[in-house]
């Protein structure tokens, strides 16, 4: 329900849940490969880059979760201010 500020609490909570679900669905359960005795500089480079990608994806997921938490805290504060303003102007 929108009040003085005009925040739709239901839409906000729904969007927050959707963002959290999206962050949780980032596949960070990478598994590396063990060497089968091959000797290839290209394969070694690929494994190194794969490990870097895994690290990047984990960092990205962590940053997304931090941003979502910050958005949630700010939104909750705005909803509280909205309620206070609504009560003030009744």
């Amino acid at each position: 329900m929108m009040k003085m500020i005009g925040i739709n609490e239901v839409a906000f909570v729904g969007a927050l849940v959707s963002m959290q679900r999206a962050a949780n669905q980032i596949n960070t359960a990478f598994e590396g490969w063990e060497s089968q005795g091959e000797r290839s500089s290209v394969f070694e480079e690929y494994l190194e880059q794969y490990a870097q990608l895994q690290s990047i994806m984990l960092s990205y997921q962590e940053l997304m979760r931090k941003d979502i938490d910050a958005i949630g805290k700010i939104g909750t504060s705005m909803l509280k201010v909205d309620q206070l303003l609504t009560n003030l102007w009744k």
Side-chain angles (χ1 to χ4, degrees):
M1 181 169 107
M2 293 194 303
K3 298 175 183 147
M4 299 294 288
I5 295 177
I7 298 172
N8 185 329
E9 185 173 359
V10 174
F12 173 74
V13 171
L16 202 57
V17 168
S18 294
M19 287 186 282
Q20 290 168 336
R21 191 176 302 127
N24 291 334
Q25 289 178 349
I26 293 174
N27 184 7
T28 57
F30 298 113
E31 293 183 20
W33 290 277
E34 292 187 23
S35 174
Q36 303 296 316
E38 66 279 338
R39 298 256 185 236
S40 168
S41 61
V42 173
F43 186 67
E44 295 297 322
E45 181 69 23
Y46 178 78
L47 291 178
E48 184 179 318
Q49 289 179 3
Y50 191 83
Q52 291 173 353
L53 175 62
Q54 181 181 17
S55 176
I56 290 167
M57 292 301 290
L58 287 168
S59 296
Y60 178 66
Q61 185 181 49
E62 183 181 320
L63 289 172
M64 281 187 63
R65 287 181 175 160
K66 285 181 181 179
D67 285 347
I68 292 166
D69 286 344
I71 291 167
K73 288 176 184 175
I74 291 168
T76 301
S77 295
M78 290 179 71
L79 290 168
K80 288 178 183 177
V81 168
D82 201 19
Q83 182 63 46
L84 290 171
L85 287 172
T86 300
N87 291 341
L88 181 69
W89 291 100
K90 279 187 178 182

